[in-house]
Every structure is written in structure tokens, then in C-alpha cells.
Amino acid sequence: MTFTLPPLDFRSDTVTRPDETMRAAMASAEVGDNVLERDPTVQALEERAAHVLGMPAALWVPSGTMANLVALSLHLQRGDRFLATRGAHVLSNELGSAAWLAGGMPDVLEHDGGPGRPSPDTLAAAIGQPGPYFTLRTSLLCLENTHNAAGGAVTPPDEHAQLLSVAKEAGLTVHLDGARLWQAAVALEVPPAALTVGVDTVSACFSKGLGAPVGSVVAGSVAFVERARRMRQMLGGGVRQGGVLAAACLVALDRIPELADSHENAQRLAEGLTEYGWATNVPDTNIVLAQVPDIPTALAWLDSLGIRAVPMAGKVRFVTHRDLSATDVEEALRRIKTGAR
Ligand SMILES: *Cc1c(COP(=O)(O)O)cnc(C)c1O
């Protein structure tokens, strides 16, 4: 019988599991029926998340996908065009719900401002000029920070401000997909609220690299969150004793500074891969994208070495997270260098 170690799992930072501290917080959470009234722990989380994100109010939802769908459903009317960056989660990873449920007509912005973002000129050109009643109306801009398919790329506050100013000048609503906004804030050494300036709504995840099993928020004005609560109910996202889950999200919020470790590990992984002849991005945060001649071959080879990764945007994606240590990264690099487990 051969003994095999569990694989080193670089597929996503969503594979992180709640540890003892988080499970203890979940076990002792004060709860209520969050549909009939407000569950006290969900309410505490929503208030704290709104504050951290610099928004007036926030709503807990089970997933980042639902957070985006709630926001887009409220922002878009059938026949509206919305703009999102190439490879954005709302375009590539939500099975078209922005179109078939929220009713928007997507259009793609290229990343000519830097990884994960258009230039202000490209944005202005895409918005175009208002036309007569029979022309498409561009009503919404979706930004993503960090940008997943661009390799966890960070949009800095000054560039964010320029894009916001173009969008707002043209009367667009702006939604920020901030599933990994925490990672961007840690990389830039700014508070998360510094990255939401001017947006109408923002979504953020607690289940990406922070160890929470479930949970995201969508934040915006008080009036938006009131409507969002109805939309969440419509989508089947009314969770009863949600405090058990919100307790985990509160612990996750305490752990934001610890994301710096996974950013360092991603740097090391990219350096090591580059040394062994792989072409990778220089990661801003915790995502390394590697260009390979053939993705299935590369993934199968990595798998044979007990290293798990996924395809993303025509590359192989490695994500570092709190359940992979610096030693695990060195071990992965050793296996890649030697081609042996
Ligand atoms: C993961 C992710 C989401 C959605 O998250 P789920 O909780 O898995 O639904 C949204 N946007 C981006 C950029 C993401 O990476």
C-alpha cells in the first residue's frame, strides 16, 4: 500500500476551512429568525461590514454571486447596457445571470488602463453619447477589485477615482465587485473604505481566504439595502438563524491583516516558478497566473505531483491562502523543480 499525502490545494482561497476559533464563535452565536425579524449576529455583522466598507448599510447574503445578482437586478432595467472588464466575474463566472435574471446587456471593457481596469478614455468611449429612445442606454459600470482573471490585480485609489469620475459624469450607476476587496486593501495598505469611494454599491466575500464557510455582503445606501432585502428573499436567500454563519464572518473580518501572509506566499511562488522557467504575473495579491503551452497537460502533471490548480483566463491559476503555509509553498516548488512528489 502506498501512502499519499493530501494534495497541496492551490485551486482557490475558497478552500480555506473554519478553524477552532471560528467554530467556537459559530457555536456560541446569539441567533434569531433573520426573515421574520433581524438575527442579532447578522445585524452586528451587517453594521460592522458597512462601516469597514465605508457604506451607509450592508446586507448579508450567502454568496458573492448572489451579492452581485442582487445589486445588478436592482440597478438594471431590461434593455440597459452595462459595462464590465474582460473576464469579470459578473461576465464569466455567473452563468449569464446578469443578462437573463438582471436583464442587462453586457459589454466588455479591455484592460488598457492596467491589469483588471480600462483607461478612462476607453471607458468614456464605451459609454458613448446619449441617443434617441431606440438606442441602447448604458446605465451601469461594474468594476472588480482585486480582479480575479487579471491575476488578483489591484486598482489603486487614484485610478479608481478617475474611472468613477467618467462614469458619474455620464450618469452611470457604479457597482464594485469587491469579492477580494480586503486583499486589495492589504496590498495597498489602505482601509477597505478607501477603495469604495463614490460607488453606489459594493459586494465583498468572507469565504475567500479568510476562512469563513459561507457569506458575503452587498452594501450601499439605506434605501438600496431595503430593496436588496426584498430581492434576496425573492432569490431564495432568506436564511433563518443566519447568526451561526454571520459569527464566522465576524471572525473573518478580524483576520484581514493576516492576508499579508498569503500575498507573501504568492510572491514566493511566482519567483520560484519564474526561476524554473514558467511565465507568471508578478502578483499584487494572492493569485499567480502561469502561461503554459497546454493547460490540461500542465494541470494533469501538477496533479500527479499532488498540486492542485485550475484553469483561468487561458492560464493556470494558483491561489495562496491561510491553509497553505510558507513551507507548503516551498514544498510545491520543490516538487515542480524535481518533477517528483
Ligand atoms: C468568488 C468571486 C465572486 C463570487 O463568489 P461566490 O461566493 O463564490 O459566489 C464574485 N466576484 C469575484 C471577483 C470572485 O472572485
Side-chain angles (χ1 to χ4, degrees):
M1 207 175 85
T2 52
F3 175 74
T4 45
L5 291 165
L8 297 167
D9 200 343
F10 289 90
R11 287 173 303 165
S12 177
D13 45 9
T14 56
V15 302
T16 53
R17 275 166 295 208
D19 62 7
E20 284 311 314
T21 307
M22 191 174 271
R23 285 169 192 257
M26 295 171 77
S28 63
E30 197 191 327
V31 295
D33 188 321
N34 197 46
V35 176
L36 292 181
E37 55 223 4
R38 302 286 299 279
D39 172 298
T41 308
V42 172
Q43 184 164 1
L45 171 73
E46 290 174 344
E47 284 167 11
R48 188 165 155 211
H51 176 75
V52 172
L53 291 168
M55 304 300 282
L59 182 76
W60 183 91
V61 286
S63 70
T65 299
M66 191 183 284
N68 286 336
L69 179 56
V70 164
L72 268 59
S73 298
L74 295 178
H75 294 325
L76 291 165
Q77 294 183 37
R78 278 180 290 176
D80 282 0
R81 168 164 55 190
F82 72 96
L83 302 171
T85 48
R86 182 166 295 288
H89 201 277
V90 290
L91 296 180
S92 305
N93 303 92
E94 298 179 9
L95 311 189
S97 58
W100 71 266
L101 277 173
M105 152 89 183
D107 218 339
V108 175
L109 295 165
E110 298 303 341
H111 301 190
D112 64 343
R117 55 205 185 261
S119 65
D121 287 349
T122 291
L123 174 59
I127 295 169
Q129 296 300 322
Y133 82 92
F134 52 82
T135 52
L136 268 174
R137 193 173 71 119
T138 304
S139 65
L140 174 70
L141 169 66
C142 289
L143 297 172
E144 191 175 302
N145 199 11
T146 68
H147 199 289
N148 183 0
V154 164
T155 298
D158 56 332
E159 288 188 47
H160 169 88
Q162 287 172 22
L163 296 172
L164 258 290
S165 130
V166 171
K168 286 295 162 191
E169 183 79 12
L172 268 62
T173 301
V174 178
H175 173 67
L176 172 61
D177 180 347
R180 294 190 183 83
L181 194 74
W182 326 118
Q183 281 81 350
V186 166
L188 292 163
E189 299 182 9
V190 299
L195 303 175
T196 65
V197 176
V199 305
D200 295 278
T201 55
V202 55
S203 57
C205 288
F206 303 106
S207 54
K208 300 246 165 103
L210 296 171
V214 185
S216 291
V217 281
V218 58
S221 69
V222 171
F224 167 83
V225 167
E226 262 173 40
R227 294 172 67 215
R229 197 178 304 280
R230 281 176 65 79
M231 182 58 66
R232 178 184 69 182
Q233 190 66 13
M234 227 182 266
L235 295 172
V239 169
R240 302 288 178 169
Q241 281 71 33
V244 172
L245 301 168
C249 300
L250 280 164
V251 174
L253 272 176
D254 293 334
R255 295 183 166 171
I256 292 172
E258 297 170 25
L259 292 170
D261 296 341
S262 52
H263 295 182
E264 256 176 53
N265 286 341
Q267 288 281 349
R268 173 67 193 120
L269 181 66
E271 276 165 25
L273 288 172
T274 305
E275 209 178 304
Y276 308 147
W278 294 58
T280 76
N281 62 328
V282 177
D284 285 346
T285 56
N286 64 326
I287 301 181
V288 178
L289 293 181
Q291 188 97 50
V292 297
D294 182 69
I295 294 172
T297 308
L299 290 175
W301 181 73
L302 288 167
D303 202 56
S304 76
L305 299 176
I307 299 168
R308 304 190 74 184
V310 293
M312 168 71 68
K315 305 198 171 83
V316 170
R317 187 185 77 164
F318 298 87
V319 184
T320 55
H321 52 75
R322 61 185 295 115
D323 289 0
L324 286 171
S325 65
T327 314
D328 290 330
V329 170
E330 293 306 332
E331 172 61 15
L333 286 170
R334 186 196 64 76
R335 292 182 196 178
I336 288 168
K337 184 182 183 186
T338 59
R341 280 189 92 145

